[in-house]
Amino acid sequence: MPDRLLPATAGYPGSEHEFFPMLDSFDLKFVVGGEETPIRFEAAAANIGWNKLGDFSVSEAHVRLEVGTRSNGEIVVTDATRWLPAD
C-alpha cells in the first residue's frame, strides 16, 4: 500500500496520522427507478481524491447512492458524490 497519511490540517492532532490502513471494502447501492445496483468499494486500494464507482444509466431525475455501514475495516468514510454525464 502506498504511504498515504492524513495531514494535520484535517483537524486531527499531531503532524500526520496513518488513516487509510483502517479502511477496507464496503458496500454501496445505486438506486434509480426502484432498481438497485450493488457496488463493492475497495477503500483500502482507492486513490486519494475522486474514485470512479462505475457507469450508470439514469432514466429519472431522482437517484440515490446508499452507503452501507458494514466493512471489513475499522471505519467507513464517504465525503461527496460527483455526477458526470457520459461522453
Side-chain angles (χ1 to χ4, degrees):
M1 173 183 305
D3 184 29
R4 298 185 290 180
L5 301 173
L6 185 68
T9 56
Y12 295 90
S15 59
E16 294 181 327
H17 295 274
E18 291 188 32
F19 180 69
F20 288 92
M22 297 187 310
L23 300 174
D24 203 343
S25 58
F26 59 91
D27 294 318
L28 299 106
K29 193 182 328 179
F30 177 75
V31 183
V32 60
E35 291 190 34
E36 301 177 351
T37 302
I39 304 166
R40 186 74 170 167
F41 185 67
E42 301 296 336
N47 296 316
I48 294 175
W50 295 106
N51 288 270
K52 185 175 181 176
L53 297 178
D55 294 317
F56 306 95
S57 294
V58 178
S59 58
E60 297 188 14
H62 298 282
V63 298
R64 195 169 68 232
L65 183 65
E66 298 179 358
V67 180
T69 58
R70 293 181 186 231
S71 173
N72 297 331
E74 295 178 41
I75 59 175
V76 172
V77 176
T78 61
D79 183 11
T81 302
R82 178 174 62 175
W83 302 96
L84 299 173
D87 293 330

